[in-house]
Amino acid sequence: MSKSSSSAKFEVAIVGLGYVGVPLALGFAEAGCRTLGFDINSERDLELQRGKSPFKHIASERIAKAIDDGMLEFTTNRSLLSQSEAIIVCVPTPLRSHQDPNLSHILEVAEGIGPYLRDGMLVSLESTTYPGTTRGEFRAMLERHSGLKAGTDFHLCFSPEREDPGNAMSKLREVPKVVGGFTAGCMEKAVSLYEKAVDTVVPVHNCDTAEAVKLTENIFRFTNIALVNELKEIYAQLDVDIWEVIEAAKTKPFGFMPFYPGPGVGGHCIPVDPYYLTWKAREFGIDCRFIELAGQVNRSMPGYVANHLLEAMNDRGQLLHGSSVLVVGVAYKSDVSDDRESPSYHVMDILQQKGAKVDYYDPHVLTIGPDRGQWAGCHSICWDLDVLQHYAAAVVCTAHAAVNYEELADTVPLIVDACNVVPKNRHARVVSA
Ligand SMILES: NC(=O)c1ccc[n+]([C@@H]2O[C@H](COP(=O)([O-])OP(=O)(O)OC[C@H]3O[C@@H](n4cnc5c(N)ncnc54)[C@H](O)[C@@H]3O)[C@@H](O)[C@H]2O)c1
């Protein structure tokens, strides 16, 4: 090995400062590691350099303190990555329009950081992907643009990200971290990096296994949510409340884990990651029937919710066409501002196609961002009883703690509730969906 990274200014550099990268950088900095954050988005970078959090669920004070303590720096200057002992990559891994994996972001990163790799450095991929990516496409790109060999000149590993935005229990130090190395030496290096910031590191056989761990966790969630969504439909016909069933079933101390129904699945992970495996499986002539079926069930949920509104209005002799409807919650889950792949937008699309005048309220998404089709640029209504009175119906798609559901039920005459949060003993007729 010609050049050594032992005199490196940073112990770790995080590439991609999004929902995963920012808490990861903070976690390392707060553990006492000199940490560099890099992103190609200069606005994001400037915001972070000023100690301002891009996310509501992460306090700006934490970022400002880590910067003041000299533990955290942010940059858009890629060449600074050469001054780090390790580089962790957490950029998006979305789907293309036909649900094929889109590895362009991680391959761009590999191309971009290649020239700055030095002997003895560790590169850890944390972006969710199918087994084989780290040792395959990602390694090939790193080697091509660095002239170095993985496992010989630099170390390489995959470590799945378990960040759960908005969940106070999801702390980097406390959540066990799975790691798979390209070689035994890579594994050793990877374990010693993660042990600086995480109490329990879980080594697995290799990178492919670690990649499969992440997909398994999310496919487990995706299929179980589909199962409760299907049970919800069946039990509704039998006049049995799925929410009461789950509350009672979860008193069983073993063999049952609660999952909850809803208007579909959203976010950057659950609706996306399972299709990384279905795509890979096709290479071997295998149809992932279970995953495909779960996807069909979950995708049918926005229509199920919208139909409940249509029928409930019909029962009251009202037309959905021309009525003003308020969708409550466009974030994909409770108490966060992330509205990526949110099923709320599908509910809004369907209601609008049926002629409803659709507005939304979300205390965490005041304006809808540019990538949300026809809803881009729309603003949340203000929570005001005079404004609420104007709606014929509301559809609750996300259960935010900051929403006053009593007030909603006292003001809007008809509510379709996909989250089981609206009290049924108030003025409104409440329909579960
Ligand atoms: N969001 C979650 O809760 C979560 C949880 C577990 C795993 N993951 C996985 O982690 C990965 C990142 O997800 P995220 O939610 O943080 O994404 P994100 O969109 O919030 O953030 C990604 C960041 O990467 C930056 N970026 C894109 N291309 C880049 C490049 N070439 N160089 C440097 N920066 C670049 C973007 O500007 C953005 O700031 C994905 O693979 C995702 O599946 C996400």
Side-chain angles (χ1 to χ4, degrees), residues 219-239:
I219 290 166
F220 176 77
R221 205 165 163 70
F222 182 73
T223 51
N224 276 289
I225 292 171
L227 178 65
V228 288
N229 277 330
E230 188 168 85
L231 292 177
K232 165 180 81 172
E233 286 196 53
I234 299 165
Y235 291 157
Q237 292 302 316
L238 301 174
D239 215 10

Side-chain angles (χ1 to χ4, degrees), residues 194-325:
Y194 283 109
E195 275 180 350
K196 292 178 183 177
V198 180
D199 286 340
T200 311
V201 175
V202 184
V204 294
H205 184 53
N206 55 22
C207 300
D208 294 28
T209 310
E211 288 161 335
V213 169
K214 177 67 192 178
L215 290 188
T216 304
E217 290 169 4
N218 281 359
I219 290 166
F220 176 77
R221 205 165 163 70
F222 182 73
T223 51
N224 276 289
I225 292 171
L227 178 65
V228 288
N229 277 330
E230 188 168 85
L231 292 177
K232 165 180 81 172
E233 286 196 53
I234 299 165
Y235 291 157
Q237 292 302 316
L238 301 174
D239 215 10
V240 169
D241 178 356
I242 180 79
W243 296 91
E244 192 182 350
V245 170
I246 296 168
E247 280 312 297
K250 79 181 195 196
T251 61
K252 186 180 178 189
F254 48 87
F256 182 82
M257 181 183 281
F259 286 87
Y260 298 96
V265 288
H268 180 49
C269 297
I270 304 298
V272 172
D273 302 348
Y275 296 102
Y276 269 65
L277 192 65
T278 58
W279 179 85
K280 190 66 183 171
R282 280 202 292 277
E283 196 180 309
F284 302 92
I286 301 171
D287 275 340
C288 294
R289 288 166 295 166
F290 216 75
I291 296 173
E292 296 291 356
L293 182 60
Q296 281 169 28
V297 173
N298 287 332
R299 280 195 301 276
S300 72
M301 283 302 118
Y304 178 84
V305 171
N307 265 340
H308 272 64
L309 178 62
L310 193 71
E311 282 172 19
M313 291 191 78
N314 193 40
D315 288 349
R316 295 162 70 92
Q318 289 176 316
L319 265 183
L320 178 58
H321 195 280
S323 294
S324 293
V325 176

Side-chain angles (χ1 to χ4, degrees), residues 324-405:
S324 293
V325 176
L326 182 69
V327 167
V328 179
V330 294
Y332 84 90
K333 70 171 186 174
S334 306
D335 306 329
V336 299
S337 57
D338 190 351
D339 62 343
R340 290 177 293 178
E341 314 291 333
S342 172
S344 303
Y345 294 126
H346 297 298
V347 174
M348 288 159 70
D349 285 342
I350 297 168
L351 295 176
Q352 195 181 56
Q353 279 155 18
K354 292 186 187 299
K357 294 182 216 148
V358 181
D359 289 325
Y360 84 95
Y361 173 71
D362 193 312
H364 302 294
V365 186
L366 299 183
T367 303
I368 295 175
D371 305 324
R372 305 289 177 262
Q374 60 164 325
W375 304 106
C378 292
H379 300 288
S380 168
I381 64 147
C382 293
W383 191 266
D384 180 304
L385 296 188
D386 290 339
V387 176
L388 289 178
Q389 268 169 15
H390 149 85
Y391 293 100
V395 181
V396 176
C397 289
T398 319
H400 288 312
V403 175
N404 188 334
Y405 295 105

Side-chain angles (χ1 to χ4, degrees), residues 16 18-20 39 91 93 109 127-128 161 163 165 214 268-269 340:
Y19 284 91
V20 165
D39 201 292
V91 295
T93 40
V109 169
S127 302
T128 307
E161 179 51 56
E163 168 66 14
K214 177 67 192 178
H268 180 49
C269 297
R340 290 177 293 178

